[in-house]
Amino acid sequence: MNLPAIIPPPLRKGSRIAIVSPSGAVDADVADGAAEVFSSWGFVPEIMPHALCRHGSFAGTMEERLADITHALISPRYDAVMCSRGGFGAVHLLDPLSRLPLRDNPKWLIGYSDITALHCLMSSGGIASLHAPNCRHLAENRGRDDCSLRLLDILSGKEPRPVVAPTHSLAIAGKATGVLRGGNFAVLSSLISTPFDTITRSDDTILFLEDISEPIYKVERMLHTLRLNGTLSRLRGIIFGQFTNYRPTDLYETMEQMIAPLVADLGIPVAFNFPTGHVDLNYPLMVSAPATLTVGEHTTELINPV
């Protein structure tokens, strides 16, 4: 976890992007639509041999999914790896992928949701990766929306603009500089105490969290785990992204109302309702890269990298 972070090199016109499906099955039109976007940006997309396979809810058997992403990560033919969607299944691949010489040929790995497991893999190898929209987002927006264009800027080596959002009424003001780590909270929580635990072992972390379809009590349970094991007290800042598809409870109308008392005594900046997660405004963020979080009276700003 203490390896110096490598920022993968920028892509150029003609760079190849492998489209893989390490988790859930994806429809062909979604992968094809994303490929069209990459082509319009001047890159050369390649849908990997098993990316459109189906094995139950998975995009192929474990062996098929592993073969595709192993080749994509190791082969010098590819300059970036786009994960078509989340779902479930990336955890199956962590152990064999961890034995690969990933630092010998570092490249951008792109995705979110269940792909958080693979961001943890890259982080364990000291390689930055991109928590960013998946193939469906690119296909539906034709690569023209602000989130897609931010992804293009990062892939092309341009300095990305800060992500700016209104400051939530429950936010805690302040400024923090550290290393941005995080992603889907349920996935991160499931990896605690494994070799791919990226959030409990460092004292320089700005943690960002998002989730979908997790009840308020389950998110509360996961936060209490981080309080009890000392993780929250070691953080430099926290960014709570979008928590979607959950129901209010008798005590809490919103997820933020439950979270706020659990982080109020930490003495660090805390942002709520940040534009990352299972929503249209899902801005690409560099995982394992330096970042500065500023929570002001009216606006919250994340500069990543710094």
Side-chain angles (χ1 to χ4, degrees):
M1 294 300 169
N2 295 318
L3 292 173
I6 296 174
I7 305 295
L11 276 61
R12 309 296 182 195
K13 297 295 184 182
S15 291
R16 290 186 177 271
I17 299 178
I19 297 177
V20 301
S21 299
S23 300
V26 68
D27 294 333
D29 61 335
V30 171
D32 290 340
E36 291 176 6
V37 170
F38 286 136
S39 294
S40 73
W41 289 349
F43 305 136
V44 180
E46 187 171 319
I47 298 174
M48 299 301 281
H50 304 104
L52 302 180
C53 289
R54 289 181 182 269
H55 180 71
S57 63
F58 302 115
T61 65
M62 174 182 166
E63 291 75 19
E64 290 171 334
R65 289 179 285 130
L66 179 61
D68 278 2
I69 194 168
T70 297
H71 184 55
L73 287 171
I74 294 303
S75 173
R77 174 181 178 85
Y78 304 108
D79 303 289
V81 181
M82 177 70 177
C83 298
S84 66
R85 60 158 296 185
F88 174 69
V91 68
H92 301 154
L93 314 179
L94 290 180
D95 187 50
L97 290 177
S98 68
R99 304 188 191 107
L100 301 178
L102 298 174
R103 289 172 66 90
D104 289 354
N105 184 21
K107 58 192 71 174
W108 285 120
L109 180 129
I110 310 159
Y112 78 109
S113 192
D114 192 57
I115 306 307
T116 295
L118 298 180
H119 292 311
C120 292
L121 167 78
M122 303 302 282
S123 181
S124 69
I127 303 169
S129 55
L130 288 172
H131 183 278
N134 58 22
C135 283
R136 183 173 296 280
H137 181 107
L138 294 183
E140 290 180 348
N141 291 281
R142 300 185 180 181
R144 299 171 184 168
D145 66 296
D146 203 34
C147 295
S148 299
L149 294 176
R150 178 179 170 86
L151 175 61
L152 173 59
D153 284 348
I154 295 172
L155 291 177
S156 301
K158 297 179 181 178
E159 184 174 342
R161 291 171 285 117
V163 179
V164 180
T167 295
H168 193 276
S169 61
L170 294 174
I172 300 174
K175 184 174 182 178
T177 297
V179 176
L180 189 69
R181 299 183 176 97
N184 182 267
F185 199 3
V187 174
L188 291 167
S189 183
S190 72
L191 294 175
I192 289 175
S193 298
T194 75
F196 310 100
D197 177 358
T198 64
I199 63 173
T200 70
R201 300 177 179 178
S202 300
D203 58 6
D204 62 350
T205 296
I206 296 175
L207 180 65
F208 76 99
L209 301 169
E210 63 81 26
D211 221 315
I212 184 172
S213 299
E214 287 292 334
I216 289 177
Y217 80 90
K218 287 191 176 181
V219 175
E220 182 178 7
R221 178 185 292 158
M222 292 187 286
L223 279 173
H224 273 290
T225 296
L226 297 186
R227 280 192 69 93
L228 292 170
N229 67 18
T231 297
L232 292 187
S233 65
R234 291 194 296 271
L235 297 177
R236 296 190 179 180
I238 311 177
I239 299 168
F240 291 100
Q242 300 297 307
F243 287 78
T244 55
N245 289 16
Y246 68 87
R247 295 179 180 179
T249 70
D250 292 340
L251 288 177
Y252 306 109
E253 184 69 23
T254 69
M255 190 73 73
E256 289 78 13
Q257 290 172 344
M258 178 277 293
I259 294 171
L262 292 179
V263 298
D265 62 344
L266 299 178
I268 59 175
V270 179
F272 290 99
N273 202 33
F274 202 74
T276 181
H278 292 72
V279 288
D280 290 338
L281 279 178
N282 180 25
Y283 282 98
L285 304 176
M286 286 191 193
V287 183
S288 305
T292 295
L293 169 67
T294 304
V295 181
E297 182 179 358
H298 301 293
T299 60
T300 294
E301 178 183 81
L302 180 69
I303 300 174
N304 169 235
V306 293

